[in-house]
Amino acid sequence: MKTFSIFRNHAFGKIQQRAFSTLLRDNIDRKTSASCCIHGNHVTQTECNISSNNLQFWSRAFSSGTKKVDLSHVPDIKDFIKSSQPRIDHVNLDEVPPYLENAVYAPPPNGKTVYFEMYGCQMNVNDGEYAWAILKEAGYMKTTDINMADVIMLVTCSIREKAEDKIWNRLKQLKSHKQNYHTPGYPKIGILGCMAERLKKKIVEKEKAVDIVAGPDAYRDLPRLLERATTDSTTAINTMLSVDETYADIMPVRFDQESKTAFVSIMRGCDNMCSYCIVPFTRGRERSRPVTSILEEIRILSEQGIKQVNLLGQNVNSYRDLSETQHSAVEVNTGNMSRGFKTIYKPKHGGLRFADLLDKVSQVDPEMRIRFISPHPKDFPDEVLQIISERENICKQIHLPAQSGSSNVLKLMRRGHTREDYLNLVERIRTLIPGVVLSTDIISGFCGETDSDHEDTLSLMNLVKYEYAFLFKYSMRQKTHAYHKMNDDVPEEIKSQRLQEVIQVYQDVLPTVHQKTVGKTLLVLIEKDKTKVPNTVQGRTDGNVKVFIPNYDVASSVTSQNTRTVCTGDYIAVEVTSYKPNSYRGIPLYHSSVRSFRVDEQKQRSEKLKSAV
Ligand code: SAM
Ligand code: SF4
């Protein structure tokens, strides 16, 4: 009888554990006895020999009683699920990877410098901050001068072909930078994130300059990968996806230490499988970071003087923390979906949900603004809307990606809702959160989109009147449902034309949207005390619109005669005087705070009324 013990680690999540158990059961050829202990779940087989390559690997790794593991054939999720080709990994490792227990880290890199470039969404910026925290801990130093860098890390995006094209072009430039560099073989170039996950070794084959390829769940492994790429001059690849990696124990190191705003990742991955989207394949399964670790990070950020956190996730309002069992009773009775929405997937029960998280997060520091991105329309139950409405420090701004205004297209996209459901949700949001600022994402030219579907999108935009919008042409992505089952049948020029029309409608409604703000006094968080325009500072409204104001001292409070300067991180009451397409101009009135602003506003209104009478 042989006993295999597999310890909980990031490389071996629950799905893999289950799959491993199944493989054990399915691979008997009646020679050896084996017992497998996975998280206390004993899977015992008598007379069993392990015939799959993957199991031989684990057998070698664990039966010898040593934790020294050759990771060159570590199975990834695909190996377990589809029993596919062995994973190709250029790294031949003979030491324990850092994410295994009692990990041996790579030796200190002797003051090597690393330079980061981030592409794509805010999640990628935050991923870069995690990667930097891990490399800093391993002894690397950061440089903002690419010419001084021993290592160049690109945190990449795969969402559309255009996003990947940008990286390919950048890699060509970096290749020539490397060829002209004073030290042969340097700088080491790393591709991190979604493109690494999507293309794996293809990146190395196409662009010979790349030394490291690390998927979004492999950042802990960066010191080891770098060490390997340095000592062996081989390309080191780790694109294993995890089902439980949330980097919960790592405090990301912010790139902009001057900034008063910060990103906080609360969940990773996506289980929704919209038919056009690559995210579930590049970012893996949905998993939420334990609430305790989120609150701790926000507490630390508050102590550091951070005035705004942006909670991040591919599907941020699907947040569901299962780490503490006492949460499991919380939401069974709530359904946790937007009113009237149905899900095409199995509903998930148990866990602490997004409304509970917002409740807790907003209490950490009442003077800290809370935003979140990117949510899915289906996950806005009334509880979420109510907490946004009640808490002064949760911004009254909701990004509500529509993707299309046509129910036919939404069905093809597998969004799980109709145009009517979406419009009802908009109405519900505006009822519960008066004055809310809405923004959206639209895709033009999806498979099967007719002229009439496109007209529906234009009419949706006219009806909702978004304050801002992210507008895209459909870009076919391999692996997705649409790639396999649908025709990318809208000609390129029609896609472009439709996109132009969507942009035009968006721009046409903006004056109506912004005009009603002119003359109002808004609370603005100052983000930059210098801008391109001399003596001008830049801030942001609660609704996330940029505001430019002249830089002069203003009253310390609404009632004070004293004045003081306007600095980054200050809350200033600003009267909006005019607008440009994506920003306001205004006059700074007085220093204020999240808590006192509403009270001040109400007082002023009633004083105005009194004097008018
Ligand atoms: N999770 C959010 C949701 O469900 O609405 C969206 C997150 S996704 C990372 C960001 C946006 O990229 C999407 O809302 C969509 O508009 C756009 N997008 C995703 N796949 C695309 C594709 N294949 N072509 C064009 N745009 C795409
Ligand atoms: Fe992509 Fe968002 Fe759909 Fe997930 S919910 S598959 S991230 S579009």
Side-chain angles (χ1 to χ4, degrees):
M1 158 91 66
K2 283 185 181 172
T3 300
F4 305 98
S5 283
I6 293 172
F7 298 97
R8 184 172 177 76
N9 61 60
H10 296 287
F12 203 68
K14 282 194 192 98
I15 283 193
Q16 287 153 305
Q17 288 157 17
R18 229 177 294 133
F20 182 56
S21 311
T22 314
L23 277 169
L24 255 185
R25 277 195 296 271
D26 292 345
N27 287 279
I28 303 169
D29 83 3
R30 308 205 162 267
K31 276 187 192 147
T32 326
S33 295
S35 153
C36 173
C37 165
I38 301 168
H39 264 256
N41 279 331
H42 282 264
V43 181
T44 308
Q45 299 288 345
T46 48
E47 298 292 312
C48 128
N49 189 25
I50 299 153
S51 55
S52 108
N53 282 345
N54 295 331
L55 293 180
Q56 277 167 14
F57 158 77
W58 286 111
S59 154
R60 276 200 312 277
F62 291 100
S63 63
S64 63
T66 166
K67 287 185 198 157
K68 290 220 162 201
V69 178
D70 178 355
L71 270 194
S72 56
H73 300 94
V74 169
D76 68 9
I77 251 173
K78 271 200 296 166
D79 292 306
F80 287 107
I81 292 169
K82 287 202 252 164
S83 204
S84 59
Q85 297 295 312
R87 183 169 162 271
I88 298 159
D89 191 332
H90 294 234
V91 193
N92 247 330
L93 296 173
D94 47 13
E95 73 266 59
V96 182
Y99 42 72
L100 289 182
E101 280 195 353
N102 305 323
V104 177
Y105 280 90
N110 292 331
K112 290 259 187 308
T113 52
V114 57
Y115 171 90
F116 284 92
E117 268 181 22
M118 260 73 59
Y119 294 82
C121 62
Q122 289 153 329
M123 196 97 190
N124 271 8
V125 176
N126 195 229
D127 269 17
E129 294 177 334
Y130 275 105
W132 166 222
I134 288 158
L135 290 177
K136 190 173 185 224
E137 180 69 23
Y140 286 84
M141 295 182 303
K142 192 163 78 68
T143 177
T144 49
D145 180 354
I146 197 164
N147 297 312
M148 301 294 287
D150 299 305
V151 180
I152 296 172
M153 293 290 190
L154 308 188
V155 187
T156 62
C157 172
S158 273
I159 197 98
R160 284 167 291 275
E161 203 177 330
K162 238 180 164 178
E164 287 193 355
D165 288 346
K166 251 192 209 170
I167 312 283
W168 289 125
N169 289 335
R170 186 64 179 137
L171 276 177
K172 281 199 182 79
Q173 291 166 355
L174 292 178
K175 193 173 174 182
S176 83
H177 172 72
K178 193 169 180 172
Q179 278 158 358
N180 297 325
Y181 203 69
H182 49 73
T183 317
Y186 280 88
K188 298 292 170 196
I189 296 173
I191 295 294
L192 271 49
C194 291
M195 207 168 148
E197 193 60 54
R198 193 176 92 76
L199 296 170
K200 300 182 170 74
K201 73 177 180 95
K202 282 190 200 138
I203 295 178
V204 184
E205 286 164 0
K206 187 164 168 186
E207 247 347 311
K208 305 272 185 272
V210 174
D211 303 283
I212 290 158
V213 179
D217 290 346
Y219 301 145
R220 287 177 199 269
D221 203 13
L222 284 174
R224 186 187 64 92
L225 294 173
L226 267 168
E227 208 255 329
R228 184 58 49 179
T230 307
T231 51
D232 287 4
S233 299
T234 52
T235 305
I237 304 178
N238 185 346
T239 52
M240 279 215 288
L241 283 174
S242 157
V243 290
D244 57 7
E245 177 63 280
T246 59
Y247 300 108
D249 56 322
I250 295 172
M251 178 83 187
V253 179
R254 285 178 304 118
F255 286 126
D256 184 355
Q257 291 288 327
E258 303 296 304
S259 171
K260 297 292 177 192
T261 68
F263 298 123
V264 174
S265 289
I266 64 162
M267 55 86 69
R268 299 178 76 83
C270 178
D271 285 352
N272 281 337
M273 296 283 178
C274 299
S275 58
Y276 51 83
C277 187
I278 190 77
V279 167
F281 303 93
T282 56
R283 292 263 174 184
R285 300 300 304 268
E286 208 166 278
R287 64 219 104 120
S288 292
R289 179 177 163 189
V291 68
T292 42
S293 113
I294 296 170
L295 294 177
E296 183 55 18
E297 183 176 342
I298 292 177
R299 225 170 268 129
I300 294 169
L301 290 170
S302 163
E303 279 165 19
Q304 291 173 351
I306 294 298
K307 289 292 175 57
Q308 177 183 291
V309 293
N310 206 337
L311 307 177
L312 299 179
Q314 266 79 31
N315 227 358
V316 71
N317 52 343
S318 301
Y319 179 83
R320 195 167 70 103
D321 172 20
L322 294 166
S323 65
E324 293 180 39
T325 44
Q326 74 263 26
H327 299 323
S328 58
V330 176
E331 52 75 72
V332 177
N333 51 355
T334 66
N336 262 282
M337 293 211 20
S338 307
R339 279 185 173 213
F341 278 56
K342 290 172 221 71
T343 176
I344 52 173
Y345 306 101
K346 216 171 134 197
K348 293 172 181 172
H349 293 296
L352 182 137
R353 302 303 304 254
F354 192 56
D356 308 303
L357 178 75
L358 283 179
D359 173 33
K360 289 177 192 297
V361 161
S362 60
Q363 290 181 54
V364 173
D365 177 353
E367 286 303 319
M368 186 189 253
R369 273 183 176 174
I370 314 294
R371 298 187 193 281
F372 55 89
I373 198 145
S374 182
H376 190 295
K378 78 175 167 53
D379 294 314
F380 279 110
D382 281 2
E383 291 86 336
V384 170
L385 302 178
Q386 262 145 9
I387 198 90
I388 297 172
S389 168
E390 275 166 26
R391 297 295 155 86
E392 277 162 7
N393 62 335
I394 304 182
C395 291
K396 310 297 175 263
Q397 173 236 335
I398 293 183
H399 187 62
L400 204 61
Q403 314 300 358
S404 170
S406 151
S407 293
N408 296 334
V409 174
L410 287 169
K411 194 166 181 199
L412 291 172
M413 287 178 162
R414 296 178 147 192
R415 290 294 283 176
H417 62 82
T418 61
R419 169 191 173 91
E420 288 67 36
D421 296 333
Y422 183 90
L423 285 171
N424 288 340
L425 176 63
V426 168
E427 203 183 311
R428 185 87 192 136
I429 292 175
R430 288 190 162 147
T431 306
L432 292 182
I433 315 171
V436 66
V437 164
L438 292 181
S439 55
T440 200
D441 293 347
I442 298 283
I443 299 176
S444 281
F446 184 61
C447 310
E449 185 189 75
T450 61
D451 284 343
S452 143
D453 294 324
H454 168 60
E455 288 298 325
D456 284 348
T457 300
L458 299 181
S459 88
L460 181 100
M461 299 202 58
N462 261 317
L463 277 171
V464 181
K465 298 189 177 23
Y466 299 101
E467 222 116 338
Y468 48 99
F470 300 91
L471 310 168
F472 311 108
K473 250 194 295 187
Y474 173 58
S475 166
M476 176 72 101
R477 308 312 286 140
Q478 273 178 12
K479 289 195 182 176
T480 59
H481 179 81
Y483 175 83
H484 289 296
K485 304 278 181 198
M486 298 178 192
N487 284 332
D488 187 6
D489 53 2
V490 179
E492 199 51 35
E493 63 275 18
I494 303 285
K495 277 186 194 171
S496 301
Q497 188 191 324
R498 288 182 184 165
L499 178 64
Q500 273 316 309
E501 287 171 18
V502 170
I503 294 172
Q504 194 58 54
V505 170
Y506 161 64
Q507 287 175 345
D508 288 348
V509 299
L510 277 181
T512 336
V513 173
H514 288 324
Q515 185 59 48
K516 61 179 193 286
T517 310
V518 174
K520 283 192 179 161
T521 301
L522 303 179
L523 186 67
V524 170
L525 174 64
I526 303 301
E527 291 182 337
K528 288 181 187 166
D529 54 12
K530 283 191 190 73
T531 68
K532 282 179 195 158
V533 185
N535 299 320
T536 303
V537 300
Q538 183 215 298
R540 219 166 260 272
T541 66
D542 180 285
N544 211 18
V545 181
K546 270 188 201 162
V547 184
F548 294 91
I549 55 172
N551 187 7
Y552 50 72
D553 294 1
V554 293
S556 305
S557 72
V558 67
T559 50
S560 174
Q561 300 297 316
N562 299 327
T563 60
R564 62 183 165 89
T565 49
V566 172
C567 302
T568 310
D570 287 348
Y571 284 110
I572 305 290
V574 173
E575 186 186 324
V576 175
T577 52
S578 62
Y579 62 86
K580 293 257 163 118
N582 294 310
S583 59
Y584 296 132
R585 303 291 176 276
I587 302 167
L589 301 176
Y590 55 89
H591 284 266
S592 188
S593 71
V594 171
R595 276 168 297 183
S596 60
F597 182 68
R598 259 195 214 171
V599 183
D600 294 343
E601 254 193 331
Q602 276 157 3
K603 260 191 215 159
Q604 282 185 327
R605 229 174 280 142
S606 57
E607 273 162 24
K608 261 189 202 163
L609 274 175
K610 266 188 219 158
S611 60
V613 170

